[in-house]
Amino acid sequence: MTSVLEALLPRQANNDYRGGRVPFYGFCLLFAQSIFSSTVHLLTPDSGKNSIGGMIRFEGTPDPNEAIYAIGSVSGANEMLLVLLFALVLWRYRNLIPLMFVFVIGEKLLRLLVRTLHPLGPEYFEHTPPAVLAWLPVLLFSALMLFLSIRKSIRS
């Protein structure tokens, strides 16, 4: 029998994943979503801020939108590093999947902190950004997948 701590932080990282199929495929789903999100934020000219996120364009000289896009692209670069970590876990270290759910939950909670510290009201957007709409469902999904992966792991 494995403890919760051992399921989250195994003594050795390996491909001996015992968390069950549902959390494994749930992790794959989060991986696919992260690939899309990081690619959009990193590679699109507006970092997805206007074209997908619905942020209004701002007026000014120099163009303030370019600074917003640059910051969005940096965020995309950070997301891409997380995607590479997801890929590494899927390839070689599957027993770290429960820990990765903890990271996803932590990232969602930090985004909530950022939105609380730096709130942008509806006047900044033409429509609600998809990331804002998906925030709570992804958080709850990740928490459920974490629970299922740990429950299955500590039973094995």
Side-chain angles (χ1 to χ4, degrees), residues 58-113:
F58 297 95
E59 301 293 326
T61 305
D63 184 1
N65 297 293
E66 293 304 318
I68 293 168
Y69 303 156
I71 293 167
S73 290
V74 168
S75 175
N78 287 325
E79 287 179 63
M80 192 58 76
L81 288 174
L82 189 59
V83 163
L84 293 174
L85 184 58
F86 275 45
L88 186 62
V89 166
L90 283 172
W91 176 53
R92 292 288 296 229
Y93 305 111
R94 290 184 180 177
N95 69 334
L96 297 179
I97 287 175
L99 180 62
M100 294 302 293
F101 285 126
V102 170
F103 281 124
V104 171
I105 292 166
E107 189 262 346
K108 296 302 174 199
L109 293 175
L110 287 172
R111 283 183 183 261
L112 176 62
L113 176 65

Side-chain angles (χ1 to χ4, degrees), residues 30 101 104-105 108 137-147:
L30 289 174
F101 285 126
V104 171
I105 292 166
K108 296 302 174 199
V138 172
L139 176 68
L140 295 175
F141 176 78
S142 299
L144 175 63
M145 293 298 106
L146 173 61
F147 170 76

